[in-house]
């Protein structure tokens, strides 16, 4: 049996996994007002939970990047989603700060693998010019999950309560493993369902210029972390992720609480409005990937990536200025709409930033750099989460000012440290 466009089935499943990933993590914030009351916890405990998640998420990014390089994307994704789905189910049995801390830690450890796994999988399954759109489809899953989650979680919570809701969404993740193992049997070099045309398209585009399956039978050895960090271009990836990541997480982690405290939104009102903002993010993922690929028809990979990233970060900056100067307590929907522009810009840019790892390095090293970048990014979010409760006692405005500055810093990191986006790893 041959399946046309097998790579699109693979990325669609990864997109679906990302939707599930975001439903699982968003459930905590949406249900927190009632969940916190049941467990006798307050907003300071909520901040602790966010950072517990981000610490293990940061660790999990690096560990899963190495894991995927060792066992491959097929089994790597299986391990990741089983771990985070089981962790989600465990939330139903939380009794207080200690138990919930353990379950949030396990969730962060498992969910982290989704990102380096997607970058590595896209490097395996897609030619260079299609990697940004593939990454855009994958990142659209984050926004789509954020669109679906508030409505779905509010519905499940209203009918079953927060404990049963965690069990249901955890079970959905475990069911995903079945089609994943069935369709993603192996890499494109040896997959029995791939057409010769698709295999040639993928292999001919590889920067390694691997001409045959026989060559691939000799297992390549990836670079060590120190070797990867010896390239200044790798530091460009790390720095850009460090600066840009808090922008997304400020809204993912704190927007439900901001809407509740600033505008008095209930769980139902939160669920019925914030999906609008994430719809902007989903559009940015797809359009950013498409636009970058379109630019590559007439420009180099370097120019296409940098132009797309610059446009996205410019939209972030302008949107945040709009939040600072235009939003008041009387116009909450203005905030929702402007955030959709910010998230559009973020997703427009981030897919191209994430895929730079596969532009710079060869297959066996891509997952490690992507995972390391995710770890660095997570630590910047941890810093933000420590500061937000202190800042929010007075106003969220200083937080919006800080992350507005971070957007141009992410762009400068790439332009200064990555003079040209191209293969830097020497081929033996």
């Amino acid at each position: 049996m041959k399946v046309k466009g097998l790579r699109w089935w693979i990325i669609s499943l990864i997109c679906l996994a990302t939707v599930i990933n975001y439903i699982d993590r968003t459930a905590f914030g949406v249900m927190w007002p009632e969940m916190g009351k049941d467990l006798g916890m307050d907003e300071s405990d909520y901040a602790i939970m966010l950072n517990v998640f981000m610490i293990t998420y940061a660790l999990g990014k690096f560990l899963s990047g190495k894991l995927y390089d060792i066992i491959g994307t097929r089994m790597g994704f299986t391990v990741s989603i089983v771990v985070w789905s089981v962790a989600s189910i465990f939330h139903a049995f939380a009794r207080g700060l200690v138990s919930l801390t353990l379950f949030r830690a396990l969730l962060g450890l498992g969910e982290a693998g989704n990102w380096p796994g997607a970058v590595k999988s896209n490097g395996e399954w897609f030619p260079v010019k299609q990697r940004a759109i593939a990454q855009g489809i994958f990142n659209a899953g984050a926004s789509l999950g954020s669109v679906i989650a508030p409505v779905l979680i509010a519905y499940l919570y209203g009918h079953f309560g927060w404990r049963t809701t965690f069990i249901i969404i955890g079970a959905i993740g475990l069911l995903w493993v079945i089609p994943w193992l069935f369709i993603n049997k192996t890499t494109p070099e040896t997959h029995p369902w791939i057409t010769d045309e698709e295999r040639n398209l993928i292999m001919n585009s590889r920067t390694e210029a691997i001409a045959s399956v026989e060559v691939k039978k000799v297992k390549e050895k990836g670079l060590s972390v120190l070797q990867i960090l010896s390239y200044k271009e790798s530091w460009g990836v790390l720095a850009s992720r460090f600066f840009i990541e808090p922008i997304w997480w400020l809204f993912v982690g704190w927007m439900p609480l901001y809407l509740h405290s600033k505008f008095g939104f209930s769980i139902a009102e939160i669920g019925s409005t914030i999906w609008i903002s994430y719809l902007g993010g989903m559009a940015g993922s797809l359009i950013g990937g498409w636009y970058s690929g379109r630019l590559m028809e007439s420009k180099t990979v370097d120019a296409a990536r940098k132009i797309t990233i610059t446009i996205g970060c410019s939209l972030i900056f302008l949107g945040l200025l709009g939040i600072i100067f235009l939003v008041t307590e009387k116009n909450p929907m203005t905030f929702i709409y402007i955030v959709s522009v910010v998230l559009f810009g973020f997703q427009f840019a981030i897919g191209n930033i994430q895929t730079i790892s596969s532009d710079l390095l060869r297959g066996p090293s891509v997952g490690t750099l992507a995972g390391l970048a995710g770890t660095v990014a997570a630590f910047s979010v941890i810093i933000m989460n420590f500061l937000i409760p202190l800042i929010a006692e007075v106003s969220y405005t200083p937080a919006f000012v800080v992350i507005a500055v971070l957007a141009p810093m992410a762009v400068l990191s790439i332009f200064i440290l990555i003079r040209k986006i191209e293969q830097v790893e020497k081929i033996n």
Side-chain angles (χ1 to χ4, degrees), residues 39-321:
L39 296 175
M41 300 167 71
D42 57 23
E43 286 195 12
S44 63
D45 295 317
Y46 179 81
I48 292 173
M49 293 298 99
L50 286 184
N51 274 337
V52 165
F53 175 88
M54 290 307 305
I55 289 169
T56 57
Y57 190 75
L59 179 63
K61 288 271 190 172
F62 175 69
L63 293 178
S64 59
K66 295 296 290 184
L67 177 68
Y68 279 59
D69 281 340
I70 294 170
I71 68 175
T73 54
R74 182 176 188 261
M75 292 310 301
F77 264 107
T78 302
V79 171
S80 293
I81 200 164
V82 167
V83 169
W84 94 56
S85 297
V86 170
S88 182
I89 293 172
F90 282 172
H91 279 59
F93 304 98
R95 290 292 180 270
L97 182 62
V98 175
S99 57
L100 192 56
T101 296
L102 293 175
F103 302 151
R104 295 304 293 174
L106 186 62
L107 185 75
L109 195 64
E111 290 203 339
N114 202 53
W115 272 256
V119 173
K120 183 174 178 63
S121 179
N122 290 343
E124 293 172 345
W125 279 94
F126 285 86
V128 173
K129 291 184 178 180
Q130 292 182 349
R131 286 179 189 170
I133 185 61
Q135 196 70 17
I137 292 171
F138 155 68
N139 279 328
S143 299
L144 181 59
S146 298
V147 169
I148 294 172
V151 179
L152 176 63
I153 298 304
Y155 174 82
L156 292 175
Y157 171 80
H159 285 76
F160 305 106
W162 64 268
R163 294 186 187 275
T164 303
T165 297
F166 277 114
I167 294 175
I168 293 171
I169 60 179
I172 293 172
L174 296 177
L175 290 174
W176 176 91
V177 174
I178 299 172
W180 173 254
L181 293 177
F182 180 70
I183 294 174
N184 189 19
K185 297 180 182 298
T186 182
T187 55
E189 295 92 327
T190 56
H191 200 296
W193 293 357
I194 194 170
T195 63
D196 291 338
E197 180 183 5
E198 185 173 20
R199 181 184 287 111
N200 292 335
L201 174 68
I202 296 168
M203 301 307 296
N204 290 340
S205 177
R206 290 270 181 95
T207 51
E208 301 96 322
I210 298 173
S212 69
V213 176
E214 294 301 317
V215 176
K216 195 64 177 178
K217 288 183 179 178
V218 179
K219 186 174 179 63
E220 297 177 271
K221 185 178 179 181
L223 297 177
S224 68
V225 172
L226 290 178
Q227 287 173 318
I228 290 173
L229 293 180
S230 69
Y231 298 106
K232 66 181 178 62
E233 291 84 357
S234 297
W235 287 96
V237 174
L238 300 183
S240 62
R241 288 295 303 278
F242 179 87
F243 289 127
I244 200 170
E245 203 77 10
I247 297 169
W248 175 261
W249 283 94
L250 176 68
F251 296 104
V252 170
W254 291 95
M255 188 157 60
L257 272 69
Y258 176 76
L259 292 173
H260 179 70
S261 61
K262 174 84 172 179
F263 303 111
F265 277 27
S266 65
I267 290 179
E269 288 172 325
I270 291 171
S272 64
T273 54
I274 64 173
W275 66 269
I276 297 171
S277 298
Y278 291 115
L279 199 61
M282 184 172 65
S285 298
L286 297 174
I287 296 174
W290 168 83
Y291 181 71
S292 177
R294 187 68 181 269
L295 285 179
M296 288 181 197
E297 295 177 4
S298 58
K299 299 182 181 296
T300 63
V301 172
D302 175 72
R305 295 268 189 262
K306 288 179 178 177
I307 290 171
T308 306
I309 292 167
T310 301
I311 292 173
C313 288
S314 297
L315 290 172
I316 293 171
F317 183 76
L318 293 173
L320 286 164
L321 290 182

